[in-house]
Amino acid sequence: MRYFETRFLEEANEFISELDSKSIKKIFYNIDLAEQTNDPKLLKKLQNDIWELRTKFAGLQIRLLAFWDKTDNKRTLVVATHGFIKKVDKVPVGEIERAMKLREKYFNSK
């Protein structure tokens, strides 16, 4: 059973496309696992309806910020806004603000 489906905005796709193939494979493996298990180690709430899809691979903390879209009664979507390599313990405020702007733009254009 899948709890949700994941969709990617253009900026998330661009970020992923710049990574090496093993990192990309690990990200999609983790997303697939998160969709089936809803594991908080893989999908964690940050703040203001922004969540992070978490992947740890080859010493990197790869993060895709995301939000939920439950406007379609048939399916629940998690929409990945963009990604970055996390270098400090906390997710930088600027990354969260960027995700919030992309979320707002997404719902305004729906």
Side-chain angles (χ1 to χ4, degrees), residues 29-86:
Y29 172 81
N30 277 5
I31 289 172
D32 189 52
L33 200 59
E35 288 176 351
Q36 295 175 56
T37 61
N38 222 354
D39 183 342
K41 288 187 187 109
L42 300 172
L43 180 65
K44 180 182 170 196
K45 182 164 187 175
L46 295 174
Q47 65 187 51
N48 301 328
D49 296 322
I50 300 300
W51 294 65
E52 65 177 349
L53 289 156
R54 308 168 71 164
T55 299
K56 194 172 191 174
F57 183 72
L60 297 176
Q61 302 265 356
I62 303 167
R63 298 294 187 258
L64 288 169
L65 295 193
F67 59 87
W68 294 83
D69 177 357
K70 298 178 183 180
T71 54
D72 178 352
N73 292 331
K74 294 185 193 92
R75 67 172 74 126
T76 299
L77 297 178
V78 167
V79 182
T81 58
H82 70 288
F84 62 98
I85 306 295
K86 194 170 122 180

Side-chain angles (χ1 to χ4, degrees), residues 13-29:
N13 279 327
E14 285 173 11
F15 169 76
I16 291 167
S17 73
E18 293 169 3
L19 299 171
D20 66 275
S21 62
K22 287 182 178 178
S23 296
I24 293 169
K25 199 179 272 188
K26 179 67 175 182
I27 288 168
F28 285 113
Y29 172 81

